């Protein structure tokens, strides 16, 4: 597998600036579609428009910075394992702290010093819990770490692009989720099925081999941190057919610029409620703010 370690793509936007996604080349094609973009569109097409087409900024959060730093620490661990490097706990927790401080600066996250210290302590405890888990202790060399895969499929007019946190032997994609409380793993698996199926299809297309299973690793940031691993079988024919139907309809909606509000629970944490109220669908995007 062409497993080039890389940092995930970051889209930086300015207010009112038309930005990177959906990127279209001169023939009007989207450059690519990612599983997270598909999920975003399906969740609320108008939020997708605000976030990925207009690029309206969203405030960052401590949870986001924390999660990205934990993610990067685990990436450092598996890269070191892959390269026979330094996997000592102090090295990996240092990677967490360094990433946290970097993201805090890049994302302009303002937090009190006392809260920052608490978050660093909590993050290091979570990383140590992972290093002490059976998942980290399994004696395997990964097939890829932070794997970027982009593949064309006949069903879609644009390639699918995905970044897979970790690929373990058996071509098993692994996705990390940092969560605040013990997850309902069945519900989570249902909610992330699209993403996991996309990863499976990307790996199988890139390698010509079958994925044997898929995993979500939950890093639960409770007082006593916990690591929960949910291993699932690969998507079967019916699940893959369902994926393509969903993906085709979502991409069609994006190509046709089909945006409209889809109110629900997710409005509670949507950054664009005011813009949503201002939106009429009549082409006055300059008034959205
Ligand atoms: S407030 Fe709700 S309906 Fe409006 S854009 Fe956000 S998620 Fe969509």
């Amino acid at each position: 597998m062409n497993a080039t370690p890389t940092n995930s793509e970051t889209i930086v936007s300015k207010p009112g600036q038309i930005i990177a996604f959906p990127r279209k080349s001169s023939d009007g094609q989207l450059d690519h579609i990612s599983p997270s973009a598909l999920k975003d569109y399906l969740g609320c097409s108008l939020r997708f428009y605000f976030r990925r087409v207009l690029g309206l900024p969203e405030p960052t959060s401590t949870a986001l910075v924390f999660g990205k730093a934990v993610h990067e620490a685990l990436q450092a661990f598996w890269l070191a394992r892959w390269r026979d490097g330094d996997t000592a706990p102090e090295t990996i927790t240092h990677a967490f702290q360094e990433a946290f401080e970097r993201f805090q600066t890049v994302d302009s996250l303002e937090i009190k010093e006392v809260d920052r210290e608490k978050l660093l302590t909590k993050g290091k405890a979570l990383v140590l819990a992972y290093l002490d888990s059976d998942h980290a202790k399994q004696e395997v060399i990964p097939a890829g770490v932070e794997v970027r895969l982009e593949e064309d499929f006949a069903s879609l007019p644009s390639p699918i692009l995905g970044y897979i946190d970790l690929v373990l032997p058996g071509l098993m994609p692994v996705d990390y989720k940092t969560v605040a409380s013990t997850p309902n793993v069945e519900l989570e698996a249902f909610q992330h099925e699209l993403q996991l199926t996309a990863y499976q299809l990307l790996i199988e297309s890139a390698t010509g081999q079958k994925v044997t299973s898929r995993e979500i690793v939950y890093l639960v940031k409770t007082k006593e941190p916990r690591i929960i691993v949910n291993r699932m079988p690969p998507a079967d024919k019916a699940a893959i057919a369902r994926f393509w139907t969903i993906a085709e309809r979502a991409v069609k909606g994006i190509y046709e610029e089909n945006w409209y509000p889809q109110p629900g629970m997710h409005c509670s944490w949507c950054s664009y409620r005011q813009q949503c109220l201002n939106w009429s669908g009549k082409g006055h995007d300059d008034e959205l703010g």
Side-chain angles (χ1 to χ4, degrees):
M1 177 180 301
N2 178 17
T4 308
T6 173
N7 289 324
S8 294
E9 186 178 55
T10 304
I11 294 174
V12 180
S13 61
K14 296 192 178 82
Q17 180 189 7
I18 306 292
I19 55 146
F21 198 89
R23 280 187 295 227
K24 291 185 180 179
S25 48
S26 54
D27 59 359
Q29 297 288 101
L30 294 180
D31 281 359
H32 59 252
I33 183 90
S34 66
S36 61
L38 283 176
K39 192 170 179 227
D40 226 6
Y41 182 80
L42 294 163
C44 176
S45 60
L46 188 59
R47 188 185 54 196
F48 175 100
Y49 173 64
F50 292 147
R51 177 182 287 160
R52 295 179 184 262
V53 180
L54 294 186
L56 301 181
E58 292 179 273
T60 192
S61 69
T62 51
L64 188 62
V65 168
F66 185 94
K68 289 194 294 187
V70 170
H71 185 285
E72 200 161 300
L74 270 53
Q75 181 183 344
F77 168 75
W78 280 105
L79 278 176
R81 171 75 68 80
W82 193 16
R83 297 167 175 165
D84 200 20
D86 184 1
T87 58
E90 52 273 22
T91 304
I92 306 306
T93 52
H94 177 75
F96 165 77
Q97 177 157 350
E98 189 278 326
F100 186 94
E101 289 169 350
R102 179 163 28 86
F103 288 129
Q104 188 189 350
T105 303
V106 170
D107 294 351
S108 305
L109 177 67
E110 289 184 16
I111 39 177
K112 291 180 189 160
E113 184 57 27
V114 62
D115 293 332
R116 183 177 162 281
E117 288 302 322
K118 281 183 191 165
L119 284 165
L120 288 175
T121 302
K122 195 174 193 176
K124 288 177 184 177
L126 189 56
V127 170
L128 288 173
Y130 177 76
L131 297 180
D132 199 36
S133 71
D134 291 343
H135 198 263
K137 287 182 174 172
Q138 56 185 320
E139 292 188 5
V140 294
I141 302 297
V145 180
E146 194 71 9
V147 181
R148 179 191 190 280
L149 289 175
E150 182 170 349
E151 296 287 327
D152 277 307
F153 295 93
S155 304
L156 297 179
S158 300
I160 296 180
L161 170 69
Y163 289 91
I164 307 172
D165 289 341
L166 177 67
V167 181
L168 288 178
L171 295 180
M172 177 170 67
V174 179
D175 195 63
Y176 309 126
K177 307 281 183 206
T178 305
V179 294
S181 57
T182 303
N184 176 337
V185 292
E186 283 184 17
L187 179 60
E188 292 281 340
F190 175 76
Q191 290 176 330
H192 298 294
E193 178 58 30
L194 200 70
Q195 177 190 20
L196 292 173
T197 302
Y199 290 168
Q200 176 181 335
L201 293 165
L202 284 168
I203 292 173
E204 292 181 348
S205 175
T207 64
Q209 297 175 45
K210 291 289 180 192
V211 162
T212 55
S213 50
R214 306 172 295 171
E215 271 186 356
I216 300 179
V217 176
Y218 300 96
L219 297 113
V220 191
K221 53 182 180 179
T222 39
K223 197 171 177 187
E224 282 295 320
R226 294 179 64 202
I227 308 301
I228 298 171
V229 178
N230 185 19
R231 182 173 292 188
M232 292 154 280
D236 60 16
K237 275 187 179 174
I240 289 172
R242 181 174 185 273
F243 171 87
W244 286 124
T245 303
I246 293 171
E248 283 163 20
R249 292 185 188 182
V251 170
K252 183 172 187 286
I254 294 168
Y255 265 85
E256 293 177 354
E257 304 189 1
N258 196 0
W259 330 120
Y260 54 94
Q262 288 154 265
M265 287 289 288
H266 48 265
C267 299
S268 317
W269 53 87
C270 176
S271 309
Y272 305 119
R273 283 204 296 275
Q274 190 56 51
Q275 288 92 338
C276 182
L277 282 171
N278 294 348
W279 179 85
S280 66
K282 302 295 182 192
H284 299 289
D285 292 346
D286 53 332
E287 297 169 7
L288 292 172

